Amino acid sequence: MTSPHTQSQETTNWNRRLFALAGPIVLANLSVPLPGIVDTAVMGHLPDPSGLAAVGLGAMIFSTLYFSFSFLRMSTIGLTAQADGRGDAAEVRIVLYRGGLIAIALAIIMMVFQDPIGRYAFQLTDATETVQTYGLSYFDIRIWGAPAALLNLVVLGWMFGFGSMRLPVTIQIVTNLVNVVLDFVFVFGFDWGIEGVALATVIGELVGAALGLYFIARRLRHLGQSLLPDWVSVLEPAGLRRLFGVNRDLLIRTFCLLIAFAHFKIAGAELGTVTLAANLVLLIFLDLSSYGLDAFANAAEILIGKAVGQRNRAVFLTVTRLSLVWGGLVSLVAVLVFFLFGNHIVGLMTDQLPVRDVSANFMLWAAFLPITAVWAFVLDGIFVGATRSAALRNGMLISIALYFASEWVLTGQFGNDGLWVALHIFLLARGLTLAVQVPALVRSIDTQPPAHAQAVR
């Protein structure tokens, strides 16, 4: 029988593992929006405001596109962690090459259809003709970085799946440093303007991809694996069907998430320009807290994937419990910070008094977003690590249906208060629809690992 002291020690060890994974993930997540921010900031120091608007919109469009393809990273994390947990080095390599093939195929499709994609995306922004013309110049150059950007999602997911945290952070830092340096060189040194900003980002993405492939080559040699893929295994129909199924479900889940928040903004716009501006500022609260919540979700993806690969129910339950506990504590701290300093945060975001006044009226709704959202964040990570993508898809479809129904009823009755309540209902529904499926997930995991499984690292 395990003594209380031994159980306490085991819990401490798992806490350390969670934090060892979560810390670097925060750094990696913080660096994601940096290229677009730097591009926009550089253009902001040039005299033509149309260039600033064009690059800002272009950066937003690419952020949305790449977020839509985040399933490449999520599926790779879960499948790699499970294969590593089983000690199946061959499958680890196969997951990498399958994910890479899909990433390159999607990038090629984006590049082939770049003209309609770019024109339609900028038309949706309702920008002036000048801004759209400048924006398309940015888009047409930056699209050439798509193969590297999508491949990087797979590379980062593969490394995270191993629990190798230092290398992904190194890749992100190098990518962003190259982008920042070349932004200044191309714009202020060569006077290339918008084209220089876009080219700097593309080169940064290519350097990041090259560095990632170098790290992969080193890892495969360490595993005693050939760098040349076994195409028969990579293209094996059953494996491809599983990967396509997981990616399809995660894509549906991600699109629903994008649609829900886009609808929140559209519904806010119908309530007036100032209300829309206030809502957008207040959504920053969720963005800020997501860096901490996502870190524990991503850490859970890795450790849960390894536990599922080992079919180790005890480890699965321990990681699930501690991820929820720490995620909950982080959300409570975030709520306290926003409750105490929310008005100061809004003041940093805008000096427009009407927007600040309206924001103050709805501050509590935004301040409590972390505690509403945390369960969806962490449980998302648990189900991604277990590659139970159908559960994620079905839960999201139910949640967005509840969101649209509640928004339609509540906004008509209570205005912007009703809109915020509907958003909380959406976030709570995401967590609840996954929570009710956890017992079935636990039952699917054997209590004893197979003989060939290695220890979860």
Side-chain angles (χ1 to χ4, degrees), residues 140-171:
D140 289 343
I141 293 173
R142 194 170 164 190
I143 194 71
W144 290 95
L150 297 189
L151 188 60
N152 268 333
L153 292 175
V154 176
V155 170
L156 295 178
W158 196 71
M159 292 178 178
F160 280 146
F162 276 114
S164 174
M165 312 310 294
R166 179 176 58 86
L167 297 182
V169 173
T170 301
I171 293 171

Side-chain angles (χ1 to χ4, degrees), residues 247-260:
N247 284 338
R248 176 204 62 216
D249 294 338
L250 292 176
L251 177 62
I252 293 171
R253 168 254 183 211
T254 303
F255 271 149
C256 286
L257 195 60
L258 287 170
I259 290 169

Side-chain angles (χ1 to χ4, degrees), residues 10 46 51 75 80 87 122 138 143 159 188 198 228 249 260 299 334 433 452:
E10 289 176 353
L46 297 181
S75 63
T80 302
F122 276 99
Y138 175 87
I143 194 71
M159 292 178 178
F188 298 115
L228 296 175
D249 294 338
T433 54
H452 66 276

Side-chain angles (χ1 to χ4, degrees), residues 2-291:
T2 305
S3 69
H5 175 74
T6 302
Q7 290 177 341
S8 176
Q9 185 64 37
E10 289 176 353
T11 298
T12 301
N13 289 340
W14 283 110
N15 283 327
R16 289 174 180 169
R17 294 183 190 188
L18 273 172
F19 276 92
L21 295 172
I25 289 172
V26 171
L27 295 177
N29 288 344
L30 284 171
S31 71
V32 170
L34 189 58
I37 293 172
V38 172
D39 288 352
T40 304
V42 169
M43 292 305 298
H45 287 82
L46 297 181
D48 188 355
S50 295
L52 171 62
V55 170
L57 290 174
M60 179 193 70
I61 289 168
F62 275 100
S63 294
T64 303
L65 282 172
Y66 293 153
F67 180 77
S68 300
F69 294 128
S70 60
F71 63 82
L72 292 168
R73 179 189 59 80
M74 291 188 287
S75 63
T76 304
I77 288 177
L79 294 171
T80 302
Q82 289 178 31
D84 188 44
R86 294 193 303 270
D88 190 344
E91 181 65 18
V92 164
R93 187 181 62 158
I94 289 170
V95 169
L96 170 67
Y97 283 110
R98 281 180 184 152
L101 280 177
I102 293 177
I104 296 299
L106 289 171
I108 291 173
I109 292 172
M110 286 177 62
M111 294 167 72
V112 169
F113 294 99
Q114 69 181 76
D115 189 60
I117 292 173
R119 292 186 183 281
Y120 180 69
F122 276 99
Q123 285 173 4
L124 286 177
T125 65
D126 201 28
T128 66
E129 185 176 346
T130 300
V131 170
Q132 289 191 39
T133 301
Y134 287 161
L136 285 170
S137 296
Y138 175 87
F139 184 93
D140 289 343
I141 293 173
R142 194 170 164 190
I143 194 71
W144 290 95
L150 297 189
L151 188 60
N152 268 333
L153 292 175
V154 176
V155 170
L156 295 178
W158 196 71
M159 292 178 178
F160 280 146
F162 276 114
S164 174
M165 312 310 294
R166 179 176 58 86
L167 297 182
V169 173
T170 301
I171 293 171
Q172 296 284 73
I173 290 173
V174 170
T175 298
N176 292 324
L177 282 177
V178 170
N179 183 23
V180 170
V181 171
L182 291 182
D183 264 338
F184 283 95
V185 171
F186 291 163
V187 174
F188 298 115
F190 298 162
D191 195 26
W192 287 353
I194 290 174
E195 291 79 6
V197 165
L199 183 59
T201 304
V202 171
I203 293 174
E205 289 168 339
L206 290 171
V207 169
L211 186 60
L213 294 175
Y214 168 72
F215 287 147
I216 282 173
R218 285 201 323 179
R219 180 74 189 198
L220 289 176
R221 289 195 200 99
H222 176 72
L223 293 172
Q225 294 284 309
S226 169
L227 298 181
L228 296 175
D230 174 8
W231 290 111
V232 173
S233 299
V234 171
L235 300 175
E236 192 264 324
L240 285 174
R241 281 196 300 272
R242 184 191 181 197
L243 179 58
F244 279 119
V246 170
N247 284 338
R248 176 204 62 216
D249 294 338
L250 292 176
L251 177 62
I252 293 171
R253 168 254 183 211
T254 303
F255 271 149
C256 286
L257 195 60
L258 287 170
I259 290 169
F261 279 97
H263 181 77
F264 179 84
K265 296 169 186 177
I266 292 169
E270 293 174 354
L271 297 172
T273 302
V274 175
T275 298
L276 169 63
N279 286 352
L280 292 177
V281 169
L282 291 173
L283 277 179
I284 296 293
F285 290 14
L286 184 59
D287 291 337
L288 291 173
S289 59
S290 71
Y291 289 114

